[in-house]
Amino acid sequence: MNNKEINNNKNWSISQSSNLYGLDFWGDEYFSINDKGNVQVHPYGKDSSSIDLYEMISSFKERSIRLPLLLRFPDIIQAQMKKICVCFNKAIQDQDYQGNYYGVFPIKVNQQRHVIEDIIHAGKDLNFGLEAGSKPELLIALSYMDNPKALIVCNGFKDKSYIEMALLSQKAGRNIFLVVERQKELDLILEMSKQLQLKPQIGFRLKLNTQSKGFWGKSSGEYSKFGLTSQQLVSSIEKLKQEDFLDCVKLIHFHIGSQIPSIQPIKLAIKECAMIMSELYLMKCPIEYVDVGGGLGINYDGSGATRSSTDYDIQEYANDIVFALQSLCEKKKIPQPHIISESGRFLVAQSSILVFNILDKNSIEGEKNITISENSSSFLKEMYDIYKNITHISYNESFNDLIEKKKQIYDTFIYGMLSLTELALAEKIYWASVKQLTQLTKNKEDYEDIFLTLKKQLTDTYFCNFSIFQSLPDSWALSYIFPVLPIHRLREKPNKQAYLVDLTCDSDGQISKIVDYKNWEIESFMPVHDLKKNEPYLMGIFLTGAYQEILGDLHNLFGDTDAVHIRVKDNNKYIIEHRVKADSISEVLEYVEFHGKQIIDKLHNITEQSIIKGDITRQEADLLVEKFEENLSRSTYLK
């Protein structure tokens, strides 16, 4: 480290890094920077035990745990479960509400077995249940949910066997609700209930007019995928009345989208739902539960002003739901129902972190002391004059000349007026000029636009050891914003900015939206530190616990990363509760029907032919097959 870097770091603090990377805005009570400049996790709050991420991951080398790595913290899940229960119970107590709160976790948010087990274990004392949206998810709920007081809510498209399993499990003591999403499902429920001679617990999903404005706003309102219109609802109630099953209607449910950024649509939806509930009471439906669905958002970027954040907190969310239901129930003089929420994102998003290393970088380095020969073309001489005279003419003029010349460089080459060697020299002169002009306009208010434009051109590209399609699909598919930052060296002032690209050979394999917390703007690059020789540079993507793992795909055949479940103990100690090994190359190839023995046999045939032709020796062929077999058992990611 040179003297200039040392002086810069003396004027830099961890609080500046915390602000620069937004931990002050999205870190909540779970993430901060310690005195060493490393990110730390404290699942029980900032005054409790914490784990230094960088030191922990450095120690994993001894256990052959590899990067990229997904870290799961079940203690954070437990803390979030307690938080939502505390907030709803506080709202219920403060407003003297007559119903109770019941949480259910939607399995679709994270179907990993260890996560489901953590949810069930942490939720025993809280009577936390599960929501199943498909037949496989129902099988998980029926086999793992052993608390008779916890609820199982059955949503999604249902066939006869789905309904039969749910009703049989009700006979076996499960507290299960079949939510009617389509009118035809009601006929199946009645048919199977009569065959099994039991009264089901029926719910209706409402197709509300209220619509949210988040990423998933289109899943709500009159064009939503599931739910009954008012006409269909009344028709269904009439059918139940005729069949003498009206007393089975126990629940109404709505869902106006995931990650709802504003509290206003939530308030409107609750009011609309409450009004429908009051009308159902007049029709003699004994509604006992209102399921407000999912949608409770978290602050991915901390701004409170984008679709990746929220303008409300959990207590406000709970207060508004309780108040809206209570107000209408008192006005209509009807019983106050129990409240169910399916806030899966809120429960698990903060519990997972993807940590990866930077493998390499591409940098544009403007060279100094460039010279050209007297025989150089007039075009090169013009560019060289711009470079030599930057300090003697106006910065605006130099900037405009550079932009014009950049446009001309490749046109001149294409029309045969520059050789390849001259093209390379023209590029060298251009970048040297850009770097010089960037340095001259730095910290000069009148030339800030020039500085920012040129600095963006000089941005490095950092190659990250992960696949955005596998580990961060919402970033690619929805341009969703996730917090990303180095997990160490945060006592140092970042001296670079870089685009973060993944290992796939796809131009979309890049984190394309990153918050500039200094200016509260969205950029495609971020501040980073320069790479040091023989020293890893580790970065983390935070709040990845909801949806990302199950939605990931095998683009370029990059599979799941290693994953470890960390339990934090007293005195800043931890244990690895579970380790899930990364997909091997062999396992990933099996997904696409390339079986290990077959492709090894094919390689043997190829090498045998090459030996006969004399292209390769027997020893070289054996070495190739040996390396081939070794790699089949290895991770799809790079060392």
Side-chain angles (χ1 to χ4, degrees):
M1 187 179 295
N2 59 40
N3 292 333
K4 184 177 179 181
E5 289 176 318
I6 292 171
N7 290 332
N8 281 338
N9 291 333
K10 282 182 179 178
N11 298 323
W12 191 256
S13 66
I14 58 173
S15 63
Q16 287 174 292
S17 282
S18 185
N19 191 268
L20 178 68
Y21 292 113
L23 270 81
D24 296 339
F25 307 105
W26 56 261
D28 208 352
E29 69 266 43
Y30 300 126
F31 309 106
S32 65
I33 303 172
N34 62 23
D35 291 339
K36 297 177 182 178
N38 300 337
V39 175
Q40 60 184 0
V41 182
H42 21 82
Y44 307 112
K46 290 189 177 178
D47 295 327
S48 61
S49 287
S50 61
I51 298 299
D52 184 313
L53 283 183
Y54 182 74
E55 290 185 352
M56 179 178 70
I57 290 169
S58 297
S59 72
F60 285 171
K61 292 179 182 178
E62 301 171 2
R63 311 188 196 196
S64 299
I65 299 175
R66 302 160 292 191
L67 294 173
L69 176 64
L70 186 69
L71 301 173
R72 297 195 189 112
F73 291 89
D75 298 314
I76 293 180
I77 296 176
Q78 184 174 1
Q80 290 292 94
M81 292 175 76
K82 287 182 178 178
K83 186 185 293 186
I84 196 170
C85 289
V86 166
C87 288
F88 266 102
N89 289 333
K90 183 179 187 302
I92 287 169
Q93 184 176 357
D94 290 348
Q95 300 179 46
D96 197 24
Y97 187 80
Q98 300 306 300
N100 297 320
Y101 170 71
Y102 292 90
V104 298
F105 176 71
I107 297 173
K108 67 180 180 182
V109 176
N110 194 319
Q111 296 103 326
Q112 301 296 326
R113 176 172 62 86
H114 295 307
V115 173
I116 300 300
E117 288 175 341
D118 290 334
I119 291 279
I120 292 172
H121 175 75
K124 276 193 182 298
D125 294 337
L126 305 171
N127 292 326
F128 232 90
L130 295 173
E131 182 267 347
S134 67
K135 199 181 295 185
E137 290 179 357
L138 178 61
L139 296 179
I140 292 172
L142 297 182
S143 57
Y144 275 82
M145 180 50 68
D146 57 357
N147 180 359
K149 294 181 180 179
L151 310 182
I152 298 177
V153 177
C154 298
N155 291 327
F157 205 101
K158 305 171 191 67
D159 62 8
K160 193 171 182 178
S161 65
Y162 182 118
I163 291 167
E164 184 178 29
M165 280 192 300
L167 293 175
L168 286 170
S169 69
Q170 181 181 326
K171 274 196 164 186
R174 297 292 190 272
N175 195 359
I176 194 163
F177 293 85
L178 280 164
V179 178
V180 177
E181 309 258 5
R182 305 169 300 117
Q183 268 192 302
K184 288 185 178 180
E185 290 178 358
L186 184 59
D187 295 330
L188 292 174
I189 292 171
L190 293 176
E191 178 189 341
M192 296 307 302
S193 297
K194 290 173 185 177
Q195 288 182 18
L196 295 171
Q197 297 182 345
L198 88 165
K199 286 293 185 82
Q201 296 192 109
I202 296 175
F204 285 106
R205 178 165 176 172
L206 310 177
K207 185 176 286 191
L208 301 182
N209 286 313
T210 304
Q211 190 169 10
S212 72
K213 294 182 180 180
F215 277 105
W216 292 271
K218 64 182 179 181
S219 66
S220 60
E222 61 180 324
Y223 298 110
S224 59
K225 184 177 179 180
F226 289 122
L228 304 186
T229 64
S230 57
Q231 181 182 348
Q232 292 169 332
L233 183 60
V234 170
S235 174
S236 297
I237 296 300
E238 288 298 322
K239 179 185 285 288
L240 288 169
K241 187 176 181 180
Q242 292 170 9
E243 299 280 355
D244 195 27
F245 274 77
L246 194 60
D247 60 335
C248 297
V249 182
K250 303 291 186 183
L251 178 149
I252 55 174
H253 165 54
F254 69 86
H255 179 71
I256 61 168
S258 182
Q259 181 63 22
I260 299 172
S262 172
I263 195 66
Q264 291 306 317
I266 296 170
K267 290 182 177 181
L268 291 173
I270 293 293
K271 290 178 182 178
E272 187 179 351
C273 173
M275 184 59 71
I276 294 172
M277 179 187 67
S278 69
E279 292 296 316
L280 291 177
Y281 267 109
L282 294 178
M283 299 171 72
K284 308 301 182 184
C285 293
I287 304 296
E288 297 179 13
Y289 297 86
V290 170
D291 183 345
V292 300
L296 173 58
I298 62 169
N299 267 319
Y300 283 98
D301 63 28
S303 69
T306 70
R307 296 185 300 175
S308 296
S309 63
T310 58
D311 66 1
Y312 58 93
D313 61 22
I314 175 60
Q315 190 62 66
E316 182 180 358
Y317 176 79
N319 290 346
D320 286 344
I321 290 173
V322 171
F323 177 78
L325 287 173
Q326 185 184 50
S327 298
L328 190 129
C329 289
E330 288 181 345
K331 180 180 179 180
K332 297 288 186 177
K333 295 182 170 54
I334 60 176
Q336 297 173 23
H338 303 304
I339 299 169
I340 302 171
S341 78
E342 304 175 4
S343 306
R345 184 185 300 273
F346 176 83
L347 298 179
V348 300
Q350 292 161 304
S351 67
S352 292
I353 307 165
L354 177 71
V355 179
F356 57 90
N357 54 309
I358 303 300
L359 295 169
D360 202 355
K361 69 173 182 177
N362 270 347
S363 296
I364 296 172
E365 300 292 346
E367 295 186 21
K368 296 181 180 180
N369 302 320
I370 296 175
T371 58
I372 63 173
S373 70
E374 293 183 2
N375 297 326
S376 297
S377 68
S378 58
F379 182 82
L380 283 176
K381 289 179 179 178
E382 290 171 9
M383 289 198 68
Y384 188 72
D385 285 341
I386 296 172
Y387 166 65
K388 295 299 290 184
N389 292 304
I390 281 178
T391 56
H392 304 300
I393 58 178
S394 77
Y395 298 150
N396 283 321
E397 184 178 346
S398 296
F399 174 75
N400 292 328
D401 288 344
L402 275 177
I403 297 302
E404 182 182 356
K405 289 301 178 185
K406 183 181 181 183
K407 293 178 181 178
Q408 294 176 358
I409 287 176
Y410 296 100
D411 287 342
T412 307
F413 174 71
I414 289 171
Y415 288 113
M417 298 169 66
L418 277 182
S419 67
L420 182 59
T421 303
E422 288 174 319
L423 174 65
L425 181 55
E427 287 181 346
K428 188 182 294 185
I429 296 170
Y430 173 80
W431 288 117
S433 303
V434 166
K435 188 167 186 181
Q436 188 176 6
L437 189 55
T438 302
Q439 292 170 342
L440 291 170
T441 55
K442 186 177 182 180
N443 299 324
K444 289 184 172 61
E445 188 174 342
D446 291 343
Y447 302 103
E448 185 177 13
D449 289 345
I450 292 176
F451 171 75
L452 292 176
T453 300
L454 296 178
K455 193 169 192 300
K456 192 175 291 189
Q457 291 188 30
L458 291 170
T459 297
D460 290 352
T461 298
Y462 274 32
F463 294 95
C464 308
N465 192 16
F466 80 102
S467 163
I468 196 169
F469 304 94
Q470 176 61 246
S471 297
L472 211 64
D474 279 348
S475 175
W476 163 68
L478 300 171
S479 295
Y480 216 71
I481 298 172
F482 290 88
V484 54
L485 73 157
I487 66 167
H488 61 133
R489 294 179 63 182
L490 296 172
R491 294 190 66 87
E492 302 175 31
K493 184 177 181 179
N495 58 346
K496 295 275 186 177
Q497 60 185 25
Y499 300 107
L500 302 182
V501 301
D502 72 358
L503 293 180
T504 65
C505 54
D506 195 305
S507 58
D508 284 342
Q510 176 180 344
I511 300 178
S512 60
K513 286 196 173 183
I514 299 170
V515 179
D516 172 4
Y517 287 98
K518 182 179 179 182
N519 301 303
W520 282 107
E521 295 175 348
I522 305 299
E523 297 286 4
S524 57
F525 51 84
M526 66 175 292
V528 294
H529 306 87
D530 202 1
L531 303 183
K532 295 180 179 179
K533 191 175 181 179
N534 299 323
E535 183 178 317
Y537 190 57
L538 306 188
M539 302 190 74
I541 304 174
F542 292 71
L543 315 189
T544 62
Y547 296 103
Q548 301 316 293
E549 293 174 67
I550 204 65
L551 291 177
D553 71 18
L554 294 173
H555 191 16
N556 277 152
L557 297 183
F558 286 107
D560 285 338
T561 68
D562 272 4
V564 290
H565 291 237
I566 306 296
R567 285 279 182 189
V568 178
K569 300 297 183 180
D570 293 336
N571 301 320
N572 302 329
K573 303 293 184 181
Y574 69 90
I575 61 168
I576 297 178
E577 193 171 57
H578 304 291
R579 178 188 175 185
V580 183
K581 292 195 70 173
D583 287 336
S584 68
I585 293 176
S586 176
E587 289 169 330
V588 168
L589 291 175
E590 290 277 348
Y591 295 153
V592 286
E593 301 297 321
F594 290 98
H595 306 292
K597 187 177 184 305
Q598 288 179 341
I599 59 178
I600 290 173
D601 286 345
K602 284 184 174 295
L603 182 66
H604 271 297
N605 292 335
I606 291 170
T607 57
E608 288 298 320
Q609 293 297 322
S610 297
I611 292 170
I612 292 172
K613 293 177 181 178
D615 296 335
I616 192 172
T617 67
R618 171 65 63 185
Q619 291 78 12
E620 290 169 336
D622 289 344
L623 181 61
L624 173 58
V625 172
E626 179 186 336
K627 293 299 179 183
F628 190 93
E629 291 177 337
E630 280 181 11
N631 277 284
L632 281 175
S633 63
R634 288 179 176 168
S635 166
T636 58
Y637 296 93
L638 304 184
K639 288 187 177 181

